[in-house]
Amino acid sequence: MDQFVTVIPELGLVRITHDDEIDLSIMLTTRRAAGRRLREHNFHRLLIDVRQVPRPPQTLDSFEIASSHHLDLPADVRVALLVAPRHEPDARFSENVSQNRGFNLQLFTAEADALAWLAESP
């Protein structure tokens, strides 16, 4: 799943980009690869871009991924979840679950807003 993970040194972040159907297995494998890249580069910013995904994950898959970030990601990571506006209501669930588990994850529909938030000091 490394083909979905990009390191962007000039921004000090790792980016996950999905542009097709995703399921829990894909999300978990990709998150694991992103966590490795974050640690390798000592980065604390992660952008997850799922704007091109045709359908949001099933609710149980969203819960599983959002409630288990601690398994793969550094505790101090800032995560911007970039979604298509039509998927925003579904993605709010993931944002809430992540935040309730102590992760600094924010939902965005505009890439410029996501990048600006990631660039802020924690």
Side-chain angles (χ1 to χ4, degrees):
M1 293 300 161
D2 284 344
Q3 73 264 25
F4 301 117
V5 179
T6 307
V7 176
I8 306 175
E10 60 274 14
L11 298 178
L13 65 84
V14 172
R15 179 184 188 119
I16 296 173
T17 304
H18 289 291
D19 58 7
D20 203 355
E21 296 288 340
I22 55 174
D23 61 18
L24 182 59
S25 175
I26 291 170
M27 292 186 294
L28 290 171
T29 303
T30 304
R31 184 183 68 192
R32 197 169 303 118
R36 283 193 304 271
R37 298 297 174 273
L38 287 164
R39 287 182 175 90
E40 286 171 7
H41 295 276
N42 197 31
F43 290 164
H44 305 278
R45 307 286 189 260
L46 176 62
L47 176 65
I48 303 172
D49 183 352
V50 293
R51 290 176 293 175
Q52 299 305 312
V53 172
R55 283 181 295 282
Q58 295 181 6
T59 302
L60 288 177
D61 289 351
S62 292
F63 178 80
E64 179 64 30
I65 195 78
S67 65
S68 64
H69 292 312
H70 66 282
L71 297 176
D72 298 310
L73 301 177
D76 60 348
V77 69
R78 288 172 70 95
V79 181
L81 179 59
L82 186 56
V83 303
R86 70 184 183 280
H87 295 158
E88 185 175 0
D90 293 302
R92 286 282 170 214
F93 175 73
S94 294
E95 179 186 55
N96 289 335
V97 171
S98 295
Q99 290 175 354
N100 287 340
R101 299 299 186 281
F103 267 84
N104 193 2
L105 184 144
Q106 292 289 321
L107 178 66
F108 298 91
T109 58
E111 185 168 356
D113 294 340
L115 291 172
W117 180 77
L118 285 170
E120 293 174 2
S121 296

